[in-house]
Amino acid sequence: MLALLAVLLVACQAADKLPNKPNIVFILADDMGYQDVGFRDSDVITPNLDRLATEGVILENHYVMPQCSPTRASLLSGRHAIRNGFWIGNIKPNEEWGLRLNETTLPEMLRRNGYATHGIGKWHAGMYTWNHTPAKRGFDTFFGLYLGAQGYFSHKRSGNSDLRDDYHDENGKFVDDVRLDLNGKYSTYLYTERAIKQIEDH
């Protein structure tokens, strides 16, 4: 399967809350065909996705935009690209725009309702200002790329490293850690390891 794990939203109930809300793991995969999973009677072997499909919810008859930035912006805002400013297409390096700051995002709504939120993978919804980045748009933490089309091992776009580990420290200060130490490591494995850790921690 030539699908790139794009965004993994892990929204878990805060530990001090009663267990009346479900935990949420949302997976958005770029360039994945309808038949590219085993549960569609495909030749592609995907036992873990098959199990998730059997035990979870399969969204069918939902449509995405033809490019990744508009798809992400629509998922994050709940609004069509024509309404959220992404009718233009993908955000490219050094472009001065992103998901409008007056748009309420899904992770912001989840946090307001007692969830911890963690983004993993490709953001690609704007990095024009720090306020456009994931850890400022409702994610407690973010591990991944701000842009698209990076190398799986170099984590670079236009010559710059873009693998980030973003969070707020114990004083609430935003920290953007560009992970140069992970250069040469396969990004899909890094995302998988982080996703497993976040799920196990919650």
Side-chain angles (χ1 to χ4, degrees), residues 8-183:
L8 173 64
L9 165 67
V10 180
C12 302
Q13 211 174 292
D16 60 344
K17 300 289 182 188
L18 295 174
N20 59 355
K21 298 177 194 169
N23 291 325
I24 301 167
V25 176
F26 191 103
I27 300 171
L28 171 66
D30 277 346
D31 303 326
M32 185 170 147
Y34 185 81
Q35 291 294 123
D36 291 345
V37 286
F39 65 87
R40 297 265 183 243
D41 295 323
S42 169
D43 291 335
V44 179
I45 300 169
T46 58
N48 293 322
L49 290 176
D50 298 348
R51 193 176 98 237
L52 284 171
T54 301
E55 297 174 6
V57 176
I58 302 169
L59 296 177
E60 295 185 300
N61 299 323
H62 292 72
Y63 299 94
V64 296
M65 302 294 111
Q67 295 179 311
C68 52
S69 289
T71 294
R72 281 170 178 68
S74 294
L75 169 70
L76 288 164
S77 68
R79 295 167 41 117
H80 192 276
I82 199 75
R83 302 273 185 223
N84 65 30
F86 274 79
W87 65 88
I88 298 168
N90 282 336
I91 296 176
K92 296 175 182 57
N94 302 317
E95 289 190 334
E96 299 179 354
W97 66 287
L99 184 59
R100 295 175 182 147
L101 297 179
N102 65 347
E103 295 281 358
T104 301
T105 66
L106 176 61
E108 288 170 331
M109 291 299 294
L110 289 167
R111 283 182 66 196
R112 287 180 198 164
N113 286 282
Y115 282 92
T117 57
H118 306 281
I120 300 168
K122 182 171 73 171
W123 171 247
H124 213 184
M127 58 178 280
Y128 170 48
T129 68
W130 286 119
N131 286 333
H132 285 91
T133 61
K136 298 281 191 162
R137 299 306 307 266
F139 286 106
D140 295 318
T141 65
F142 176 77
F143 179 71
L145 311 167
Y146 281 175
L147 288 166
Q150 283 89 344
Y152 285 102
F153 293 93
S154 71
H155 319 295
K156 289 184 178 183
R157 172 75 188 260
S158 302
N160 298 313
S161 292
D162 189 32
L163 182 61
R164 296 161 186 277
D165 202 348
D166 291 353
Y167 57 94
H168 294 86
D169 68 15
E170 61 277 355
N171 298 315
K173 182 181 176 192
F174 171 69
V175 176
D176 175 50
D177 183 10
V178 178
R179 297 295 305 270
L180 298 175
D181 59 309
L182 297 177
N183 185 35

